[in-house]
Amino acid sequence: MMQAGYKVSYVTILAQALSLRSSRRPESRSDRSIIFYDGFWMAMMVINNQGKPRLAKFYNYTPVEQQQQLIRSIYSVLCLQPENVSNFIEGGALLGPDSRLVYKLFATLYFVFVFDSSENELAMFDLIQVYVETLEKCFSNVCELDIVLNYGKMHTILDEMILGGQVVETNSQNIIKAVEEISKLEKVTATTKLISKSTSLFWG
């Protein structure tokens, strides 16, 4: 017979998750040790060298058809970029007025950040490095297959860095710690569902 003590409330799990997140967020801007940016992010993409998107997240409403068109347009520009040119591109007609694009090619993958002109371009370039370094620490010698097989984790890492179009964390160690906490909660949730299902089958 299943003991009552093993039952875990989903509300409790959610509350724990929210508590962990809030405990990591400093109360005031002056107390924050991380770098904050006042600009607004439009999108983040990971595209392979064949033009296939492996990750795409838009921070303002963009219909799916338009997202696909933007990804194709961006790739058509990136694949023609010589190696010795700048990694910064003016958005202009491609992305709309007051927009910027920064990218970096790692192996077979283009990591692309799209943001408005109020962001610091060099800081955005460094942030790509932070994201890739975090992936390296999570997957060890990350490759395209890791991204395909761990799509959800890729989004989780990105969400710990950028929230609602604003950069909120730039320390890879803090990001990894947060991802590990979320993974633990997901395992608790999965275990709880399994126990509940087993109990239901046991009692018919």
Side-chain angles (χ1 to χ4, degrees):
M1 180 176 178
M2 187 64 62
Q3 298 294 323
Y6 285 95
K7 296 181 180 178
V8 181
S9 167
Y10 292 118
V11 174
T12 301
I13 294 172
L14 179 60
Q16 289 174 345
L18 293 174
S19 176
L20 286 169
R21 280 175 173 267
S22 61
S23 66
R24 298 196 324 271
R25 305 298 184 195
E27 292 296 326
S28 64
R29 181 179 291 265
S30 61
D31 294 330
R32 293 166 177 162
S33 59
I34 61 177
I35 300 173
F36 279 76
Y37 304 90
D38 294 324
F40 187 77
W41 280 58
M42 299 176 182
M44 186 277 180
M45 307 168 192
V46 179
I47 310 171
N48 71 8
N49 57 4
Q50 300 298 316
K52 182 174 291 187
R54 293 309 188 187
L55 176 69
K57 184 157 189 175
F58 290 77
Y59 292 95
N60 47 12
Y61 173 71
T62 309
V64 175
E65 296 80 4
Q66 188 177 348
Q67 291 182 21
Q68 295 173 346
Q69 179 59 44
L70 284 171
I71 291 171
R72 287 193 295 268
S73 299
I74 289 173
Y75 173 71
S76 67
V77 173
L78 296 180
C79 67
L80 296 176
Q81 290 286 100
E83 293 184 2
N84 59 344
V85 301
S86 171
N87 292 73
F88 306 100
I89 301 173
E90 291 286 339
L94 181 65
L95 302 169
D98 199 36
S99 61
R100 303 286 188 275
L101 182 153
V102 61
Y103 73 93
K104 196 166 185 178
L105 178 63
F106 291 92
T108 63
L109 297 170
Y110 289 99
F111 288 77
V112 184
F113 289 167
V114 183
F115 47 91
D116 67 20
S117 61
S118 60
E119 292 282 12
N120 183 301
E121 293 180 340
L122 291 176
M124 297 302 98
F125 189 75
D126 287 341
L127 200 61
I128 293 179
Q129 187 66 38
V130 172
Y131 186 64
V132 173
E133 285 178 358
T134 304
L135 296 181
E136 287 283 348
K137 292 175 182 177
C138 285
F139 301 115
S140 181
N141 296 321
V142 63
C143 64
E144 187 172 347
L145 184 61
D146 291 319
I147 294 176
V148 173
L149 297 179
N150 297 276
Y151 185 77
K153 196 167 188 178
M154 292 285 293
H155 270 283
T156 301
I157 294 170
L158 184 61
D159 290 343
E160 288 299 318
M161 294 177 62
I162 307 168
L163 182 63
Q166 296 285 337
V167 178
V168 294
E169 183 62 84
T170 60
N171 186 302
S172 62
Q173 293 298 331
N174 291 343
I175 296 167
I176 291 171
K177 182 180 178 181
V179 172
E180 289 174 347
E181 290 170 351
I182 293 171
S183 295
K184 289 178 183 177
L185 290 172
E186 288 175 345
K187 289 180 181 178
V188 171
T189 303
T191 301
T192 303
K193 288 182 179 179
L194 181 61
I195 292 173
S196 298
K197 186 176 180 179
S198 300
T199 304
S200 298
L201 292 173
F202 179 80
W203 292 106

